[in-house]
Amino acid sequence: MNQKYYSPSGKVSPQAVLVLVLLGIPCTLAISGCYTAWLQSWQIVGLFTPIITIVMGASLGAGIAILLRFGKVRNRRFAKWSSLALGLVAIYGSWVTFTYMLLTEAGHSASFVGTYLDPSLILETAGNFSKSGGYTIKGMSVTGVLLWMIWLIEAGLIIVSVWIGTQRAMEDRIFCEQCNSWAQIKRGV
């Protein structure tokens, strides 16, 4: 956004927090869960995984921007921290789905809601999976530190793509304080 002509007021409406909690968190958990279920059921690995991760994160960021605009957020810092927080929620939702799928495939009776509510189960499952592995790259089983590095890279891609997706979707938006609404964008004028 061209800061020369417009600077947001920095306001955050109370409805924005409500919208992010009531819509942002559940939608983020659902999208990240679907992303993980899709990747696991198709067993997609290699170059496609980071591309799919970036597309999911950027799409999620654009969705967060829509919720921020709906909540009439004109505070860039709040928008950035909201995208970071919901990016972390996306990572958690992804891990919950991954853990649930691993447990049910192994024949354990697991509750999806119970998995959400038990972070220690997620950490334990991740630790066990990193020891045994489950992926191969060119015939080599991916385990231990290498697997944790791949997971950290994936988490980083999610956070960065959600952050950038939110910021890109929020830029060039002007809020009319007198009208209490977002200005319409007219391209090519």
Side-chain angles (χ1 to χ4, degrees):
M1 175 179 300
N2 190 337
Q3 303 258 340
K4 182 177 179 182
Y5 301 108
Y6 174 74
S7 180
S9 68
K11 294 181 180 176
V12 176
S13 68
Q15 76 186 31
V17 176
L18 195 61
V19 165
L20 287 174
V21 170
L22 295 180
L23 292 176
I25 292 173
C27 289
T28 298
L29 290 171
I31 290 167
S32 63
C34 289
Y35 151 80
T36 301
W38 189 72
L39 282 180
Q40 290 305 308
S41 52
W42 285 89
Q43 290 297 310
I44 298 172
V45 292
L47 182 61
F48 291 112
T49 301
I51 292 169
I52 293 166
T53 302
I54 291 168
V55 168
M56 184 277 298
S59 301
L60 190 55
I64 293 167
I66 290 169
L67 293 177
L68 290 169
R69 285 194 305 269
F70 180 75
K72 299 181 180 180
V73 172
R74 287 92 76 198
N75 186 309
R76 288 191 179 115
R77 184 171 286 140
F78 182 83
K80 289 176 182 177
W81 283 106
S82 296
S83 65
L84 175 64
L86 288 174
L88 292 171
V89 168
I91 293 168
Y92 187 74
S94 182
W95 270 100
V96 166
T97 304
F98 183 64
T99 301
Y100 178 77
M101 290 179 78
L102 287 176
L103 292 174
T104 54
E105 282 177 18
H108 298 285
S109 63
S111 156
F112 198 69
V113 173
T115 307
Y116 263 109
L117 300 175
D118 192 356
S120 65
L121 177 64
I122 295 166
L123 289 172
E124 178 185 338
T125 305
N128 291 336
F129 189 80
S130 73
K131 291 174 188 166
S132 64
Y135 306 112
T136 56
I137 298 176
K138 296 187 179 189
M140 182 183 84
S141 183
V142 181
T143 59
V145 174
L146 178 59
L147 185 55
W148 282 100
M149 286 174 37
I150 290 170
W151 287 339
L152 285 173
I153 290 168
E154 181 183 18
L157 285 173
I158 291 171
I159 293 290
V160 169
S161 59
V162 167
W163 179 286
I164 291 171
T166 303
Q167 302 315 305
R168 298 288 293 167
M170 288 291 288
E171 67 183 24
D172 292 335
R173 302 293 180 182
I174 297 172
F175 191 84
C176 174
E177 297 293 337
Q178 294 171 340
C179 311
N180 195 34
S181 64
W182 294 97
Q184 296 295 321
I185 295 177
K186 295 196 178 195
R187 305 272 182 208
V189 177

